[in-house]
Amino acid sequence: MKGIKIVTIGGGSSYTPELVEGLIKRYETLPVRELWLVDIPKGKEKLEIVGALARRMVEKAGVPMEIHLTCDRREALKDADFVTTQIRVGFLAARAKDERIPLKYGVIGQETNGPGGLFKALRTIPVILDICRDIEQLCPNAWLINFSNPAGLITEAVLRYSPIRKAVGLCNLPIGMRMNVARLLEVNADRIHIDFAGLNHMVFGLNIYLDGKEVTDRVLDLIASGEAGDTVKNIPDFQWEQDFIKALGILPCPYHRYYYQTKQMLDEQLKDYKRNVTRAEVVQQLEKELFELYRDPHLNIKPPQLEKRGGAYYSDAACSLIDSIYNDKKDIQTVNVRNNGAISGIPADSAVEINCVITKDGPRPISVGELPVPVQGLVQQIKSFERTAAEAAVTGDYHKALLAMAINPLVPSDAAAKQMLDEMLEAHKGYLPQFKGLQSANA
Ligand code: G6P
């Protein structure tokens, strides 16, 4: 039997040991024969450190999985079965700019929301679309599984602007939310089921079940009374206003704090900003520590310190998805796919994050109809932002980018949008070739 070939682009990421661990755990049902870790020449040193750790992990586990390391993406992609993308265009230095520049204007600085999310998308989408073109030529039957952020917006661009049809966007957040609910109820996560629907980092748990019995109100009561944290490592765990969370009646995701607790979140970010720290710098330090550990020739497992990253456990999402596609499991997982009418009010060709039945032919979204009226508007507004941002990323059209910035709910005015856009276009110009030579309308 041929065995599976997986190619991971951005393989030098500190998250890669998670993926390797997940593949080792599932080896019996998911016999991966070749794992190709690909990075750009600037990331070669990290690639080699992570690659060596991956080889030690595989050797310790005694599974016959070959680990290949390369900076030649096209060489790696040939005849791949699954391609995963986990890239950060501009590295953490670019993330620091995405977080800092908006704060100068009194606006939330975050890598997947608001102006930061827009610029991360503008930098990442052209690279992902290039990868899609390579996939089309070199491994047209492969599934593309993207974790690169902003994952929803990247999926939106891939679905609308690439020839690839076998594409799925993935995030660790739904799994993290399920684990938090399990912690709240003091039960194992496999007893919890949540009906998720919305967009990436804008997803809601519409109904929550414990052993098949609905417990939504019980969970919301626990959250309202501040029983336990319900967030991820990169987002402050502010208490929700009790009456609000009960009135909402559905489970928000941690990123909703940027929209429903904007002032508090901004004040918190400004405190750090004044101390000259943003999440990018915290992560830079964490990465330094992780790579020190990874270098140790005696380390042959995923170190627990990796759990300090916001994306912890993403491999569970990734490996379960690959496993279910490969084995036609028909189980339910939450992924980013083409809406196809599953959520009314969102265009059919747009990406949504929603529970899907995972088959060998890909995820089949489970229709939820209309979202509850109180959240419909925000979700649609973010989708308008995402569609406009994706178009700006593909065309390099200044006015489209300005529109995307101005309609984002975290941006307070058209004038602030323009100022931030101009400053961020300049700050990131090395990674925005599609905007080259373009000036603002007033310049
Ligand atoms: C969350 C999100 C991920 C994101 C991560 C950032 O878990 O779901 O999409 O990548 O946080 O974590 P970091 O440790 O880089 O701040």
Side-chain angles (χ1 to χ4, degrees):
M1 228 182 87
K2 178 177 154 277
I4 304 164
K5 175 175 179 181
I6 298 186
V7 177
T8 296
I9 299 176
S13 158
S14 60
Y15 283 120
T16 296
E18 279 248 353
L19 185 70
V20 176
E21 185 193 65
L23 295 178
I24 289 173
K25 266 202 303 207
R26 290 171 177 78
Y27 189 78
E28 279 201 5
T29 53
L30 191 64
V32 176
R33 203 187 54 188
E34 293 176 37
L35 174 63
W36 286 68
L37 303 178
V38 183
D39 223 305
I40 55 172
K42 219 174 144 190
K44 196 164 175 224
E45 196 195 339
K46 283 166 77 181
L47 177 67
E48 277 165 3
I49 297 170
V50 170
L53 171 58
R55 285 186 178 134
R56 293 193 298 274
M57 290 172 72
V58 162
E59 195 183 332
K60 175 171 193 263
V63 294
M65 191 193 305
E66 293 167 20
I67 306 286
H68 297 261
L69 310 180
T70 181
C71 289
D72 183 343
R73 182 169 91 202
R74 290 180 59 87
E75 178 203 8
L77 284 175
K78 188 125 193 22
D79 300 327
D81 298 298
F82 292 91
V83 180
T84 69
T85 41
Q86 47 182 40
I87 60 173
R88 189 186 284 289
V89 179
F91 296 94
L92 284 165
R95 175 175 178 177
K97 292 179 188 171
D98 286 340
E99 292 172 343
R100 270 170 200 283
I101 297 173
L103 285 172
K104 272 173 55 182
Y105 297 86
V107 174
I108 295 280
Q110 215 280 323
E111 70 162 344
T112 61
N113 286 258
L118 169 62
F119 269 81
K120 190 161 168 54
L122 296 180
R123 294 193 302 276
T124 313
I125 287 172
V127 180
I128 296 280
L129 292 181
D130 254 0
I131 294 172
C132 290
R133 281 185 278 273
D134 282 351
I135 292 177
E136 197 197 8
Q137 279 179 15
L138 298 163
C139 49
N141 293 321
W143 279 94
L144 168 65
I145 297 175
N146 174 64
F147 320 116
S148 312
N149 266 325
L153 225 164
I154 305 293
T155 312
E156 179 75 28
V158 169
L159 295 178
R160 296 198 17 241
Y161 298 105
S162 91
I164 305 289
R165 285 295 149 262
K166 294 168 116 181
V168 190
L170 208 55
C171 183
N172 64 333
L173 206 60
I175 287 189
M177 288 168 72
R178 187 170 159 217
M179 284 166 76
N180 277 323
V181 167
R183 210 165 17 242
L184 278 175
L185 296 175
E186 298 175 357
V187 299
N188 278 339
D190 55 9
R191 294 175 58 192
I192 302 293
H193 173 86
I194 304 180
D195 294 332
F196 283 109
L199 310 179
N200 180 235
H201 290 184
M202 178 52 58
V203 74
F204 291 92
L206 302 181
N207 304 292
I208 305 170
Y209 303 88
L210 168 63
D211 298 331
K213 224 176 114 226
E214 173 138 25
V215 289
T216 316
D217 289 344
R218 195 169 133 204
V219 171
L220 294 179
D221 279 349
L222 285 168
I223 292 176
S225 61
E227 274 294 313
D230 65 330
T231 186
V232 279
K233 291 282 186 294
N234 56 316
I235 301 184
D237 188 10
F238 294 135
Q239 175 67 44
W240 290 103
E241 161 58 43
Q242 282 194 19
D243 288 326
F244 168 69
I245 208 76
K246 287 194 196 174
L248 192 63
I250 55 176
L251 181 69
C253 81
Y255 285 85
H256 283 117
R257 287 192 166 79
Y258 292 112
Y259 300 89
Y260 296 133
Q261 303 181 336
T262 314
K263 170 139 181 16
Q264 210 180 342
M265 295 294 273
L266 180 62
D267 288 349
E268 185 70 12
Q269 288 194 338
L270 287 172
K271 266 195 241 157
D272 291 339
Y273 177 69
K274 283 188 191 124
R275 292 190 295 120
N276 219 9
V277 191
T278 65
R279 178 72 188 166
E281 278 95 26
V282 173
V283 169
Q284 247 152 7
Q285 185 53 36
L286 273 174
E287 288 244 307
K288 231 172 100 191
E289 289 164 22
L290 284 171
F291 274 91
E292 274 314 306
L293 293 170
Y294 292 178
R295 260 181 233 276
D296 176 358
H298 301 296
L299 181 76
N300 53 13
I301 52 161
K302 177 195 85 178
Q305 285 87 338
L306 190 48
E307 288 168 22
K308 290 190 193 159
R309 293 293 306 275
Y313 306 114
Y314 93 101
S315 85
D316 266 340
C319 299
S320 305
L321 176 64
I322 295 175
D323 194 6
S324 294
I325 293 177
Y326 180 73
N327 289 304
D328 195 22
K329 276 197 172 167
K330 302 191 178 75
D331 57 342
I332 294 174
Q333 298 184 30
T334 315
V335 294
N336 287 263
V337 284
R338 197 174 192 274
N339 181 31
N340 271 346
I343 303 180
S344 347
I346 301 287
D349 63 346
S350 266
V352 291
E353 187 164 281
I354 192 161
N355 284 8
C356 293
V357 178
I358 312 294
T359 74
K360 66 178 181 2
D361 303 313
R364 301 265 181 260
I366 300 172
S367 180
V368 295
E370 283 190 8
L371 294 174
V373 170
V375 302
Q376 250 177 39
L378 178 59
V379 172
Q380 284 178 340
Q381 181 68 14
I382 292 293
K383 182 45 75 188
S384 301
F385 159 74
E386 289 186 350
R387 285 181 73 97
T388 314
E391 199 181 334
V394 171
T395 57
D397 180 327
Y398 175 87
H399 291 94
K400 283 275 178 255
L402 177 60
L403 258 183
M405 180 76 97
I407 63 174
N408 187 285
L410 297 178
V411 173
S413 73
D414 54 352
K418 185 173 165 60
Q419 285 171 351
M420 284 188 286
L421 182 72
D422 289 346
E423 185 168 344
M424 292 176 88
L425 279 174
E426 180 60 27
H428 289 299
K429 66 180 174 202
Y431 295 104
L432 296 171
Q434 73 275 45
F435 287 93
K436 213 165 168 212
L438 283 180
Q439 299 287 323
S440 94
N442 297 343

